[in-house]
């Protein structure tokens, strides 16, 4: 990489740190730090939502899917569109228009309102662990990009650099810094993919003739996947729109119901087809380049998630490479910062909330920043132990969905208020999914652990409700 590219990249990173510093001076307390003052418009919210959801992990993951299976990999983000629009129609009016939620900062506070404080703490632990893993996946995505682009840069050093930048500006600026940098980052990423990455890669591999003569026809089909692929993506990604802490923070940050719904419709359209097709197309083009022998030192048997950064590093001219890498690092940072804010919010508000009573606004801010910093350091350490971005992301999603979906749907939409049922279903569902993932058991029909954890969570919830009703009626009869 030339000094010009490096200069562009460093300037971009310094600009992101500058935004964090700016909002550090403007934030006055947790209301600003965690929910942006509750007065942010729909375009900023919408672009922040899609930047957070797609981000670096899905950008790198989509490139990996395009490398392995072609255009059919785009269906993964179709589930994101379904989840976003379903949440806009069903969830947002219920949450945003309820005055009981008007002062909440986090998702577990809603669980606490629906059930009790013990249930809220269990939900907070599940959210915290899930978003800690998700933050790690984003930092790993950034490290893969950096080490694939800068040949001299080891993956470990790349992880330290990416982690430091993401953690520092998030610690300083809070949610306002996250949302406004997300808007910038998403625009940079989209422009980079549309006007730099795709056109140059397309020409490099010989245009349509070079692509068609290199890859088999299934790479250009939208049916090159199994029903298990769709089922696993759907059961993991659609429900996250109902339990994702980063998404609730943005619902709370939106001005009103109308603004929040618009934001979610915007996010859905950007997820699919726009980002989905851009991501897998670049992955497909990197596969063409590999098959043509055009990528020095890279083969189809190597890590498919590294194909895209290696392609870009070898074909883009000086100056353009710096812009393109800034675009991709934008995607990484836009998700890492949001997930870090979510984990920090869980720890500060839901797990350690009692220690914040009798604290001044300034003290609250300082403690929040310190906890965010500590969580960021732990996320970097976790990322150091992992190798695959997309798997770590989907595992984190699966753990949260299997633990949290049943209680929140039952409480918000069916009026259930049994704390025992909610707590039991969270513990059993989340534990089963985590156990199956860790043990790497081969599951029936090729389905994900999440489906089994979610099923157990639902059965546990219904069983406890049934027991409580029966037990209550027997006591009354006596």
């Amino acid at each position: 990489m030339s000094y010009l590219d490096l200069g562009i990249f460093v300037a971009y990173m310094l600009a992101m740190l500058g935004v964090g510093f700016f909002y550090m001076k403007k934030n006055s307390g947790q209301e600003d730090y965690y929910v942006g003052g509750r007065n942010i418009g729909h375009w900023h919210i919408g672009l922040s939502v899609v930047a957070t959801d797609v981000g670096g992990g899905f950008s790198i993951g989509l490139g990996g899917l395009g490398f392995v299976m072609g255009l059919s990999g785009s269906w993964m983000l179709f589930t994101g569109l379904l989840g976003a629009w379903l949440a806009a129609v069903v969830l947002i009016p219920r949450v945003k228009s309820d005055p009981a939620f008007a002062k909440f900062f986090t998702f577990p506070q809603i669980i606490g309102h629906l059930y009790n404080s013990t249930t809220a703490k269990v939900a907070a632990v599940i959210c915290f662990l899930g978003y800690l893993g998700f933050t790690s996946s984003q930092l790993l995505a950034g490290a893969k990009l950096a080490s694939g682009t800068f040949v001299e840069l080891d993956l470990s050093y790349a992880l330290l650099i990416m982690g430091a930048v993401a953690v520092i500006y998030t610690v300083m600026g809070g949610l306002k810094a996250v949302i406004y940098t997300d808007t910038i980052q998403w625009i940079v990423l989209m422009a980079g993919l549309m006007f730099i990455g795709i056109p140059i890669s397309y020409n490099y591999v010989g245009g349509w003739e070079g692509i068609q003569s290199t890859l088999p026809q299934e790479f250009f089909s939208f049916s090159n996947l199994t029903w298990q692929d769709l089922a696993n993506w759907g059961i993991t990604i659609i429900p996250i729109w109902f339990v994702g802490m980063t998404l609730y923070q943005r619902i709370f940050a939106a001005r009103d119901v109308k603004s929040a719904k618009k934001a979610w419709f915007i996010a859905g359209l950007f997820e699919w087809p726009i980002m989905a097709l851009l991501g897998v197309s670049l992955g497909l083009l990197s596969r063409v380049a590999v098959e043509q022998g055009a990528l020095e030192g890279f083969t189809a048997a190597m890590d498919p998630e590294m194909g895209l950064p290696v392609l870009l590093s070898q074909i883009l001219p000086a100056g353009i490479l710096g812009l393109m890498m800034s675009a991709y690092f934008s995607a990484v940072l836009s998700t890492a910062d949001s997930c870090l804010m979510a984990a920090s919010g869980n720890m500060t508000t839901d797990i350690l909330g009692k220690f914040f009573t009798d604290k001044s606004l300034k003290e609250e801010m300082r403690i929040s920043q310190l906890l965010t910093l500590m969580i960021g350091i732990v996320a970097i350490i976790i990322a150091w132990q992992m190798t695959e971005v997309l798997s770590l992301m989907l595992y984190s999603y699966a753990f949260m969905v299997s633990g949290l979906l049943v209680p929140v749907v039952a409480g918000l939409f069916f009026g259930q208020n049994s704390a025992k049922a909610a707590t039991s279903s969270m513990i059993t569902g989340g534990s089963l999914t985590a156990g199956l993932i860790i043990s790497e058991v081969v599951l029936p029909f090729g389905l994900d652990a999440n489906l089994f954890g979610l099923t157990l969570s639902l059965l546990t919830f219904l069983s406890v409700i049934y027991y409580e009703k029966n037990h209550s009626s027997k006591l009354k009869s006596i």
Side-chain angles (χ1 to χ4, degrees), residues 254-333:
R255 287 177 184 145
D256 48 38
V257 174
K258 185 178 179 181
S259 183
K261 289 177 73 172
K262 279 184 180 179
W264 261 241
F265 286 128
I266 289 168
L269 274 178
F270 271 104
E271 291 222 358
W272 194 93
I274 297 173
M275 186 60 208
L277 291 176
L278 286 174
V280 295
S281 295
L282 271 170
L284 184 149
L285 290 170
S286 68
R287 179 61 178 266
V288 175
V290 168
E291 296 294 344
Q292 291 175 346
L295 296 190
E296 184 181 342
F298 196 89
T299 68
M302 296 173 74
D303 183 354
E305 292 182 343
M306 291 295 288
L308 181 53
V310 170
L311 169 68
L312 296 176
S313 69
Q314 294 192 19
I315 69 171
L316 297 181
I320 300 297
L321 177 58
L323 290 172
M324 194 64 220
M325 286 302 102
S326 295
Y328 261 105
F329 280 111
S330 291
V332 173
L333 292 173

Side-chain angles (χ1 to χ4, degrees), residues 338-361:
S338 299
C339 295
L340 184 54
M341 282 303 301
S344 173
N346 289 143
M347 180 63 74
T348 306
T349 305
D350 306 306
I351 299 174
L352 302 178
K354 65 180 180 180
F355 297 107
F356 279 76
T357 56
D358 304 324
K359 299 287 185 186
S360 68
L361 291 177

Side-chain angles (χ1 to χ4, degrees), residues 426-449:
M426 283 193 286
I427 292 172
T428 56
S431 298
L432 179 61
T433 295
L436 291 173
I437 289 171
I438 293 169
S439 63
E440 298 182 347
V441 174
V442 178
L443 297 170
F445 308 111
L447 295 170
D448 278 354

Side-chain angles (χ1 to χ4, degrees), residues 23-71:
Y23 283 106
M24 179 179 72
K25 295 296 184 182
K26 295 192 70 172
N27 288 336
S28 59
Q30 285 186 311
E31 190 81 8
D32 277 336
Y33 194 74
Y34 285 118
V35 290
R38 303 182 195 272
N39 192 34
I40 298 178
H42 60 270
W43 273 106
H44 281 301
I45 296 279
L47 290 177
S48 177
V49 166
V50 70
T52 296
D53 191 53
V54 177
F58 273 134
S59 297
I60 298 299
L62 279 169
L65 286 177
F67 189 94
V68 172
M69 63 194 306
L71 297 180

Side-chain angles (χ1 to χ4, degrees), residues 123-194:
V125 170
I126 292 173
C127 281
F128 174 77
L129 293 175
Y131 276 111
L132 185 61
F134 208 88
T135 303
S136 299
S137 74
Q138 303 312 300
L139 299 180
L140 179 59
K144 281 193 168 188
L145 271 173
S147 62
T149 307
F150 306 101
V151 181
E152 310 83 9
L153 189 60
D154 180 74
L155 186 65
S156 298
Y157 287 116
L159 183 57
L160 281 176
I161 294 168
M162 283 303 307
V165 174
V167 171
I168 289 170
Y169 86 73
T170 306
V171 166
M172 289 194 296
L175 193 69
K176 281 185 179 178
V178 167
I179 286 179
Y180 291 122
T181 53
D182 279 358
T183 303
I184 299 166
Q185 289 158 352
W186 191 248
I187 291 170
V188 170
L189 176 64
M190 294 300 297
L193 293 180
M194 286 182 178

